[in-house]
């Protein structure tokens, strides 16, 4: 079975006065129908830019999609003109952003923003579109949906605004939903509700979901597969169970070590990953993670590792074997090897 979405060697650059930023540097991945894929990494690693590139939402200039392909149902999205891409964004691939207040129009009612897509892309009459909007709000658990259509975004709480954004995203029954850290600005209780909502809608509507996050804990109960990004590249990809059981990259270990355990296992001190991500204008010659890696050796600083198979459906970009990683995992001590003492940063 061919993948619903196949991304190959995607490279996105930003041309600045300081130099060219390689924000996405050779990313390849696939997404199957109905699959839930997590993309994990700290801020600036290229998670969001990868998805914005696929959606052709990168401002050009200063941005440039320099190479690669994103084949969706036999068509390369990166080769479509703007009118064709508008139809894809409206009906096939939808995206939820971090801050709904900057995505919703503050001077239009929620009802108008929900009915517009149904009228334009589904050919509904205004009355049909209104009934459709009410159904959508009920699907995402907004109470008194018929009354709230007449309200404005500022009259909704943060969690309710995010529910409205999800309703807008599923309005035309997309095949892929991209969720770009949609719970970042919400409190923990609301975060859990939004995650469960997206999970339920994905199952009910048969949507594939790409969930972008910095938190490996979020993807554990939501995703089928996860890929870990660092400095514009994928450094590990596996099923969720395989990744948690046998992490094969030191960066993944660092992310996992920063999570508190809730499974009854003995408690250990939470780890931090010292230092800062590399300068994407002046990348290290070898592995980008080597200045922060507790297992670094000479080859890491001289050669960039490529993604290699470590198990069925599991690849990682590290010169150490998975056996060496697991042997050192129990005694992991993270030291700050970043030049100039740039300080610590939580994973």
């Amino acid at each position: 079975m061919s993948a619903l979405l196949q991304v190959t060697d995607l490279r996105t650059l930003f041309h600045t006065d300081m130099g060219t930023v390689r924000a996405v540097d050779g990313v390849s991945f696939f997404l199957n129908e109905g699959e839930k894929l997590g993309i994990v990494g700290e801020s600036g690693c290229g998670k969001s830019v990868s998805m914005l590139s696929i959606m052709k939402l990168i401002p050009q200039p200063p941005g440039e999609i320099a190479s690669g392909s994103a084949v969706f149902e036999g068509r390369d999205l990166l080769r479509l003109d703007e009118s064709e891409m508008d139809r894809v964004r409206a009906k096939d691939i939808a995206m939820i952003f971090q801050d709904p207040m900057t995505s919703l129009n503050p001077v239009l009612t929620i009802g108008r923003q929900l009915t517009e897509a149904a009228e334009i892309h589904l050919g509904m009459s205004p009355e049909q579109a209104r009934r459709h909007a009410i159904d959508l709000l009920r699907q995402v658990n907004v109470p008194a949906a018929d009354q709230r259509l007449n309200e404005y975004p500022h009259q909704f709480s943060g969690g309710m605004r995010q529910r409205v954004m999800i309703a807008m995203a599923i309005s035309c029954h997309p095949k892929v939903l991209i969720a770009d850290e949609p719970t970042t600005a919400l409190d923990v209780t609301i975060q859990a509700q939004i995650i469960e909502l997206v999970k339920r809608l994905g199952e009910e509507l048969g949507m594939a979901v790409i969930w972008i996050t910095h938190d490996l804990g979020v993807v554990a109960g939501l995703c089928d597969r996860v890929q870990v990004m660092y400095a514009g590249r994928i450094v590990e990809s596996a099923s969720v169970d395989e990744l948690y059981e046998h992490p094969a990259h030191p960066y993944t270990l660092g992310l996992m070590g920063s999570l508190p355990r809730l499974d009854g296992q003995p408690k250990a001190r939470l780890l931090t990953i010292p230092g800062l991500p590399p300068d994407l204008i002046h990348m290290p010659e070898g592995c980008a993670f080597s200045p922060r890696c507790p297992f670094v050796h000479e080859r890491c600083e001289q050669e960039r590792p490529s993604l290699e198979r470590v198990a069925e459906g599991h690849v990682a970009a590290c010169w150490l074997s998975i056996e060496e990683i697991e042997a050192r995992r129990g005694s992991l001590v993270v030291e700050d090897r970043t030049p100039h003492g740039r300080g610590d940063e939580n994973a």
Side-chain angles (χ1 to χ4, degrees):
M1 182 182 69
S2 60
L4 178 64
L5 174 66
Q6 178 73 58
V7 177
T8 305
D9 197 30
L10 180 65
R11 298 176 189 272
T12 302
L13 312 176
F14 288 93
H15 303 288
T16 72
D17 293 339
M18 302 292 291
T20 298
V21 177
R22 288 177 283 177
V24 179
D25 193 10
V27 164
S28 299
F29 68 92
F30 65 91
L31 178 72
N32 293 320
E33 288 189 25
E35 186 178 33
K36 312 299 182 288
L37 174 67
I39 302 180
V40 180
E42 59 197 313
S43 297
C45 73
K47 307 183 300 294
S48 298
V49 175
S50 296
M51 297 303 109
L52 291 171
S53 299
I54 292 167
M55 298 287 282
K56 294 187 73 174
L57 293 174
I58 296 294
Q60 302 185 53
E64 176 194 0
I65 302 174
S67 67
S69 62
V71 178
F72 174 76
E73 294 190 324
R75 295 187 298 168
D76 186 354
L77 301 179
L78 304 185
R79 304 293 178 266
L80 299 183
D81 62 33
E82 192 58 30
S83 62
E84 292 174 311
M85 199 61 211
D86 278 343
R87 288 192 289 272
V88 170
R89 295 189 200 110
K91 298 189 68 175
D92 296 318
I93 306 177
M95 193 163 182
I96 311 167
F97 298 94
Q98 288 187 33
D99 184 3
M101 201 57 188
T102 60
S103 302
L104 293 169
N105 191 323
V107 299
L108 293 180
T109 65
I110 293 300
R112 183 61 195 131
Q113 296 182 65
L114 276 170
T115 57
E116 184 177 28
E119 292 176 18
I120 295 173
H121 299 291
L122 299 180
M124 292 184 177
S125 67
E127 183 54 36
Q128 289 173 325
R130 180 178 175 81
R131 290 198 298 269
H132 181 60
I134 292 171
D135 289 340
L136 288 171
L137 290 183
R138 287 172 176 163
Q139 273 188 280
V140 298
N141 301 328
V142 173
D146 54 339
Q147 299 171 29
R148 305 220 69 177
L149 282 183
N150 300 318
E151 296 181 0
Y152 291 85
H154 72 271
Q155 295 174 278
F156 284 68
S157 67
M160 284 298 167
R161 284 196 293 265
Q162 199 59 277
R163 290 173 188 271
V164 171
M165 284 299 303
I166 294 171
M168 292 176 65
I170 66 172
S171 176
C172 296
H173 312 295
K175 296 177 182 177
V176 178
L177 178 65
I178 300 172
D180 186 6
E181 301 199 60
T183 61
T184 297
L186 306 177
D187 65 56
V188 175
T189 303
I190 304 301
Q191 283 184 27
Q193 293 175 6
I194 296 297
I195 291 169
E196 282 302 311
L197 174 61
V198 171
K199 183 177 180 180
R200 174 177 64 80
L201 290 173
E203 293 170 352
E204 290 179 355
L205 303 177
M207 292 186 302
V209 176
I210 299 176
W211 189 281
I212 302 171
T213 182
H214 62 274
D215 187 353
L216 264 175
V218 169
V219 304
L222 178 67
C223 298
D224 306 308
R225 282 190 304 120
V226 58
Q227 56 191 34
V228 181
M229 288 191 68
Y230 186 77
R233 300 165 182 163
I234 295 173
V235 296
E236 186 164 9
S237 178
S239 69
V240 170
D241 290 343
E242 171 70 15
L243 190 87
Y244 274 78
E245 191 68 26
H246 302 292
H249 195 282
Y251 180 59
T252 308
L253 276 178
L255 292 177
M256 293 177 63
S258 69
L259 297 174
R261 299 194 68 118
L262 301 175
D263 56 4
Q265 295 295 318
K267 294 179 181 176
R269 181 184 177 187
L270 298 183
L271 297 176
T272 62
I273 299 177
L276 297 171
D279 182 347
L280 297 181
I281 297 176
H282 306 289
M283 290 284 286
E285 183 177 348
C287 174
F289 188 60
S290 60
R292 308 171 73 187
C293 181
F295 307 143
V296 66
H297 54 82
E298 186 176 354
R299 188 180 186 186
C300 303
E301 298 173 337
Q302 297 173 350
E303 298 180 57
R304 170 188 166 184
S306 58
L307 284 170
E308 301 290 343
R309 181 184 184 275
V310 296
E312 183 66 33
H314 187 177
V315 295
C318 184
W319 291 120
L320 293 177
S321 68
I322 192 168
E323 291 78 16
E324 291 174 299
I325 291 284
E326 292 191 339
R328 303 184 189 195
R329 182 179 180 183
S331 57
L332 181 63
V333 176
V334 181
E335 300 175 0
D336 188 354
R337 301 180 63 260
T338 305
H340 314 304
R342 288 189 291 176
D344 291 354
E345 178 175 313
N346 288 338

